[in-house]
């Protein structure tokens, strides 16, 4: 089979790495890819948002299956365009991808179908949002309605912080049109976890749960990022809690989307807050998470291609995924300044040495090749991922690999996975 994978981040390198192991694949293309994906497939210099260009390539090369990594082309309607052209593609339609593309839509859907989530109010006028904030007690959370690369959520401990967040999104347009509308939401306490599943619109197959680390600094402090590390499995999601999430969140959401005339096929990702065994949904995403994908796929023992094909062809009813008993930990190595303005073009050293370690894969995210050297090109540069017999061992293996990699201005959290040691 010829497979086209769309995207260029750490998630896509992990997906390409896993897909390349399928004996059914004769050719794997990644568009546009990165230096890491070039090791396991052939990069094609077509941007992920160039839907017309990607469709032309898929038709010309007779691609058997296209897999979409990032959210933007999904919300732009790439699945609809490909299916109209008779091409098989994995991912939700434009209408279904609004579950991630609009937090207002997502929250209102959960409210209508009684899917547990935080209390919220939506606003499209700055004055109304500020009036609401001034009459309610902090802490509270301000969220941009649209896509903001994982940075459109501000946890506010004071009213002033909330007012500043509204100005940032609605007045200064720091996230562009994503901040045209905002949500002001009740602050939830507890532990966050990521719960992902694959669905064909009827059957919902859970993936191994994972826990992300959103904040930039150790101890979950500082501004939110796209994710500074993750591990799988996570003790906070027990088998009983997993069953509860499937019963109260994942299956009801797929049924709700069908009832809304937006049948949902692809990856359904619920960001959860867990407190005293009770769950509430923080947000939905319509694709695999980054960096959760890296540890999850390190543990998956099944052929990813077969699973995705069955989802596209509505044949998931008999699928039960198999997982390694080992723990996987991913540590994100970032560029100086991230999640703000960061440096690019700095040479990275030690990739070969780290990648040569047993049970370690160095997934590329924000990298490029310049004059034959691998250099930084993004905020989150690498996702160093390792397996271990338990959490402690996986953490040790991941940070051993991290210690071998260097560049001027490198930064990473030193506490990825530590929460699991307390459980």
């Amino acid at each position: 089979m010829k497979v086209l994978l769309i995207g260029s981040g750490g998630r896509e390198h992990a997906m390409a790495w896993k897909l390349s192991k399928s004996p059914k694949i004769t050719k794997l293309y990644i568009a546009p890819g990165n230096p890491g994906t070039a090791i396991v497939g052939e990069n094609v210099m077509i941007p992920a948002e160039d839907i017309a260009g990607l469709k032309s390539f898929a038709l010309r090369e007779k691609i058997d299956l296209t897999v979409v990594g990032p959210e933007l082309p999904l919300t732009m309607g790439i699945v609809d365009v490909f299916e109209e052209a008779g091409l098989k593609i994995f991912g939700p339609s434009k209408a279904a991808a609004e579950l991630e593309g609009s937090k207002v839509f997502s929250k209102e859907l959960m409210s209508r179908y009684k899917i547990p989530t935080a209390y919220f109010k939506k606003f499209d006028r700055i004055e109304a949002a500020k009036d609401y904030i001034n009459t309610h007690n902090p802490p509270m959370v301000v969220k941009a309605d649209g896509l903001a690369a994982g940075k459109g959520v501000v946890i506010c401990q004071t009213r002033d912080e909330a007012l500043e967040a509204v100005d940032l999104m609605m007045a200064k347009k720091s996230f562009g049109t994503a901040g045209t509308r905002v949500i002001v939401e009740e602050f939830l306490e507890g532990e966050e976890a990521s719960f992902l599943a694959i669905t064909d619109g009827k059957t919902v197959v859970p993936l191994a749960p994972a826990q992300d680390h959103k904040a930039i600094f150790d101890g979950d402090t500082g501004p939110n990022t796209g994710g500074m590390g993750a591990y799988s499995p996570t003790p906070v999601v027990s088998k009983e809690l997993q069953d509860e999430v499937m019963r109260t969140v994942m299956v009801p959401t797929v049924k709700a989307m069908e009832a809304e005339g937006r049948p949902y096929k692809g990856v359904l990702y619920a960001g959860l807050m867990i407190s005293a065994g009770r769950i509430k949904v923080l947000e939905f995403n319509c694709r695999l998470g980054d960096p959760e994908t890296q540890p999850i796929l390190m543990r998956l023992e099944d052929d990813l291609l077969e699973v995705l094909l069955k989802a596209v062809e509505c044949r998931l009813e008999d699928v039960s995924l198999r997982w390694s008993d080992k723990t996987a930990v991913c540590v994100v190595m970032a560029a100086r300044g991230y999640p703000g303005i960061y440096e690019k073009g700095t040479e990275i050293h030690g990739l070969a040495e780290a990648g040569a370690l047993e049970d370690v894969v160095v997934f590329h995210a924000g990298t490029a090749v310049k004059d034959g050297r691998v250099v930084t090109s993004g905020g989150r540069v690498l996702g160093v991922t390792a397996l271990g017999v338990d959490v402690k061992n996986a953490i040790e293996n991941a940070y051993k690999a991290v210690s071998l990699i260097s560049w001027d201005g490198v930064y990473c959290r030193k506490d990825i996975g530590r929460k699991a040691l307390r459980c």
Side-chain angles (χ1 to χ4, degrees), residues 5 16-17 31 33 67 90 92 113 131 139 145 188 209 219 230 259 271 275 284 312 351 355 362 366 391 398 409 423:
L5 172 64
W17 171 80
V67 180
F90 176 80
Y113 291 90
D131 286 345
D145 175 48
L188 299 177
S275 179
F284 282 117
V312 171
L351 291 171
V362 180
V391 178
C423 296

Side-chain angles (χ1 to χ4, degrees), residues 169 207 210 228 243 245 285 317 368:
M169 296 175 191
L207 301 182
M228 292 302 296
D243 293 341
V245 174
N285 294 320
E317 64 272 7

Side-chain angles (χ1 to χ4, degrees), residues 256-274:
M257 292 295 283
E258 184 176 28
E260 294 281 315
R262 302 168 184 251
Y264 195 101
K265 295 171 67 174
V267 172
L268 180 61
Y269 167 149
L272 305 174
M273 183 64 78
I274 302 169

Side-chain angles (χ1 to χ4, degrees), residues 120-344:
F120 72 100
K121 285 284 188 179
K122 65 176 180 180
F123 301 96
D124 54 17
R125 292 189 304 110
I126 295 176
E127 296 78 10
K130 289 186 173 182
D131 286 345
Y132 179 84
I133 289 167
N134 282 323
T135 56
H136 287 76
N137 293 325
M140 60 187 74
V141 183
V142 179
K143 297 182 177 181
D145 175 48
L147 299 177
K151 301 168 194 170
V153 176
V154 181
I155 299 170
C156 307
Q157 300 296 333
T158 67
R159 284 199 183 103
D160 284 345
E161 288 179 0
L163 295 171
E164 287 173 11
V166 168
D167 278 333
L168 181 75
M169 296 175 191
M170 302 187 80
K172 296 179 182 177
K173 304 290 185 185
S174 294
F175 304 121
T177 57
T180 302
R181 291 192 297 182
V182 301
I183 283 173
V184 182
E185 187 176 270
E186 128 187 56
F187 174 77
L188 299 177
E189 293 191 78
E191 279 211 63
E192 289 190 44
S194 303
F195 197 100
L196 294 88
I198 294 175
T199 178
D200 58 12
K202 300 290 185 183
T203 302
V204 184
V205 178
L207 301 182
Q211 192 158 27
D212 186 14
H213 298 66
K214 287 287 187 189
I216 184 69
F217 300 128
D218 287 4
D220 292 331
T221 58
N224 272 357
T225 70
M228 292 302 296
Y231 60 95
S232 175
T234 171
V236 74
V237 181
S238 63
K239 178 61 171 68
E240 293 74 22
L241 194 64
Q242 179 171 312
D243 293 341
E244 178 76 2
V245 174
M246 288 292 289
R247 184 181 66 82
T248 63
V249 174
M250 307 305 278
V251 172
T253 300
V254 171
K255 288 182 176 178
M257 292 295 283
E258 184 176 28
E260 294 281 315
R262 302 168 184 251
Y264 195 101
K265 295 171 67 174
V267 172
L268 180 61
Y269 167 149
L272 305 174
M273 183 64 78
I274 302 169
S275 179
R278 299 181 63 186
I279 54 173
K280 287 190 177 181
V281 178
L282 296 170
E283 64 179 3
F284 282 117
N285 294 320
C286 60
R287 38 66 190 181
L288 288 169
D290 189 347
E292 296 96 328
T293 301
Q294 290 88 314
I296 287 174
L297 292 187
M298 283 279 281
R299 296 184 59 233
L300 179 64
E301 295 184 339
D302 293 283
D303 185 330
L304 179 62
L305 176 64
E306 287 190 1
V307 177
L308 301 185
L309 267 176
K310 287 181 179 180
V312 171
E313 297 170 354
C314 299
R315 298 187 292 115
L316 280 179
E317 64 272 7
D318 296 324
V319 171
S320 180
L321 299 178
R322 296 170 298 137
W323 302 96
S324 167
D325 291 333
K326 292 184 176 181
T327 295
V329 171
C330 172
V331 178
V332 170
M333 302 182 73
R336 178 163 47 209
Y338 179 78
I341 298 171
Y342 50 81
E343 300 176 0
K344 298 181 181 180

